[in-house]
């Protein structure tokens, strides 16, 4: 009787250990794949840990990370830093076109997540937001945007915004997956069109469970000429309330047709310009917008994020 009890106790302990081990391995993080490329060699940091140099391709534990790229050219301090997500069994792809400053650098980040649909989806965020989006030369709206019921296969995704280089990437969508994409656009650098050989596509399906994504920026750099801005009255000639445009990352501030980033751009104003405040409005994100007369008899809205109010 005593031996039977001991034997049953041992079985219980072994069974509990096996069950705990199964739970541990089922719940333990899984690996995804990270691929990082750049136009020139750059050092890669993942959560401030140096993991190598571009081009980089390796397995990374699933999770959210801060990725930092630092250009390695002599006397260069160009860097880009942003959030990335690595999902198990899928590819996270980063392509950086590093310029002489962060403003002149463009970066694309693409990754996948599983969805219930039999088709594909594309979710796009851009910096700056409010960029015009086309898929296979068909207009799809203003970023940020989510495109549902996309047929699996090869597509061409293009984003345009005045004052920024056009970004065009070739993507491959897969049934049952959403392709999430972040595109940081670079300021227009010149009016010169540069043409190089287009890079070959990379087949990465063997590492991501048949969910393949490949993205390469087109090597033809298109530019949009900057608009001219007529001088505005200084704040010393204005009565309160008025606003003064503060410094912006782009060196200008867009004037919108309506009080939202999804509205069309109707003009631009520059840091230091001052305007009489005609009206105020708050958008769905609780951001205040100011209505101004940016040119003679031309009205529009600017975000309070880059404007100082004087009352």
């Amino acid at each position: 009787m005593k031996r039977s009890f001991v034997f049953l106790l041992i079985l219980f302990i072994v069974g509990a250990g096996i069950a705990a081990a199964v739970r541990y391995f089922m719940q333990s993080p899984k690996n995804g794949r990270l691929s990082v490329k750049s136009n020139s060699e750059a050092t890669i940091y993942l959560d401030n840990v140096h993991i190598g140099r571009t081009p980089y391709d390796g397995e990374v534990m699933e999770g959210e990370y801060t990725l930092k790229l630092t250009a390695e050219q002599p006397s260069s301090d160009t860097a880009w830093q942003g959030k990335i997500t690595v999902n198990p069994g899928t590819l996270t792809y980063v392509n950086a076109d590093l310029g002489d400053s962060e403003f002149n650098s463009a970066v694309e980040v693409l990754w996948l997540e599983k969805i219930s649909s039999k088709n594909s989806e594309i979710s796009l965020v851009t910096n700056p937001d409010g960029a015009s989006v086309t898929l296979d030369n068909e207009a799809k709206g203003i970023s940020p945007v989510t495109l549902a019921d996309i047929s699996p296969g090869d597509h061409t995704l293009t984003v345009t915004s005045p004052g920024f280089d056009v970004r065009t990437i070739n993507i491959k969508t897969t049934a049952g997956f959403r392709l999430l994409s972040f595109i940081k656009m670079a300021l227009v650098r010149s009016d010169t069109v540069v043409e190089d050989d287009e890079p070959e596509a990379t087949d990465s399906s063997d590492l991501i469970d048949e969910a393949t994504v490949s993205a390469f920026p087109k090597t033809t750099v298109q530019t949009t000429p900057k608009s001219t801005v007529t001088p505005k009255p200084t704040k010393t000639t204005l009565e309160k309330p008025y606003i003064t445009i503060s410094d912006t990352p782009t060196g200008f501030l867009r004037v919108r047709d309506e009080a939202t980033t999804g509205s069309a751009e109707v003009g631009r104003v520059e840091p230091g310009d001052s305007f009489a405040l005609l009206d105020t409005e708050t958008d769905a994100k609780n951001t205040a917008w100011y209505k101004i007369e940016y040119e003679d008899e031309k009205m529009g809205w600017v975000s309070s994020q880059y404007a100082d109010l004087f009352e």
Side-chain angles (χ1 to χ4, degrees):
M1 180 70 178
K2 190 173 182 179
R3 289 182 177 179
S4 298
F5 175 77
V6 173
F7 178 72
L8 290 174
L9 181 61
I10 293 174
L11 284 179
F12 175 78
I13 294 173
V14 171
I18 293 174
V22 170
R23 286 196 300 271
Y24 172 79
F25 285 110
M26 289 183 65
Q27 296 175 2
S28 62
K30 299 179 181 178
N31 289 342
R33 179 181 164 198
L34 175 63
S35 177
V36 185
K37 298 182 179 181
S38 60
N39 59 324
S40 59
E41 189 174 17
T43 303
I44 307 171
Y45 298 90
L46 208 59
D47 283 351
N48 294 321
V49 176
H50 176 251
I51 65 169
R53 293 178 172 84
T54 57
Y56 174 88
D57 195 307
E59 290 190 359
V60 175
M61 186 178 296
E62 66 172 311
E64 294 186 355
Y65 299 91
T66 298
L67 178 73
K68 181 178 180 181
L69 302 178
T70 303
E72 299 213 340
Q73 303 98 322
S75 71
S76 173
D77 58 356
T78 302
W80 174 82
Q81 178 173 299
K83 295 289 186 180
I84 66 168
T85 299
V86 178
N87 289 326
T90 62
L91 170 71
T92 296
Y93 179 89
V94 181
N95 181 72
D97 183 6
L98 300 175
D100 56 6
S101 71
E102 184 176 357
F103 296 141
N104 290 333
S105 299
V107 181
E108 293 105 25
V109 182
L110 300 101
W111 69 105
L112 292 169
E113 67 178 16
K114 186 70 177 176
I115 58 175
S116 58
S117 173
K118 293 182 180 180
N119 276 340
S120 307
E121 291 185 5
I122 299 174
S123 181
L124 172 65
V125 175
T126 64
N127 180 10
D129 59 7
S132 298
V133 180
T134 63
L135 184 68
D136 301 331
N137 296 319
E138 181 180 347
K140 293 295 183 180
I142 302 297
S143 65
V145 64
T146 297
L147 309 177
D149 295 326
I150 303 298
S151 60
D154 296 322
H155 299 278
T156 300
L157 183 67
T158 301
V159 294
T160 59
S161 185
F164 292 84
D165 286 333
V166 176
R167 300 304 296 180
T168 299
I169 57 177
N170 299 322
I171 59 175
K172 185 173 184 178
T173 56
T174 303
F177 284 85
R178 176 183 295 114
L179 174 63
L180 298 105
S181 49
F182 167 78
I183 299 179
K184 178 196 176 298
M185 306 177 72
L187 289 173
V188 169
R189 288 161 288 186
S190 68
D191 294 330
T192 304
V193 176
V194 181
E195 296 185 357
D196 296 315
D197 294 332
E198 188 165 341
E200 296 181 359
T202 301
D203 182 6
S204 52
S205 59
D206 56 331
L207 294 182
I208 53 175
D209 299 334
E210 298 182 352
T212 305
V213 55
S214 58
F216 297 90
K218 286 190 180 296
T219 52
T220 299
V221 179
Q222 306 175 47
T223 61
T224 305
K226 295 183 178 180
S227 61
T228 57
V229 180
T230 56
K232 310 297 187 308
T234 63
K235 62 183 180 182
T236 57
T237 64
L238 298 175
E239 295 183 359
K240 295 181 179 180
Y242 66 85
I243 65 168
T244 297
I245 308 303
S246 56
D247 290 335
T248 69
T250 59
F252 59 84
L253 181 62
R254 290 181 174 82
V255 182
R256 304 284 185 180
D257 184 46
E258 298 178 0
T260 172
T261 55
S263 179
E265 177 183 330
V266 294
R268 292 182 183 181
V269 291
E270 298 178 348
D273 290 343
S274 297
F275 305 90
L277 179 63
L278 305 180
D279 197 2
T280 61
E281 196 169 304
T282 302
D283 62 18
K285 297 180 180 179
N286 206 32
T287 300
W289 290 76
Y290 300 141
K291 187 176 183 180
I292 61 172
E293 182 179 5
Y294 63 97
E295 290 183 9
D296 290 340
E297 300 182 354
K298 293 183 178 181
M299 314 292 181
W301 296 84
V302 294
S303 172
S304 63
Q305 184 178 0
Y306 297 106
D308 298 318
L309 174 62
F310 297 89
E311 297 182 292

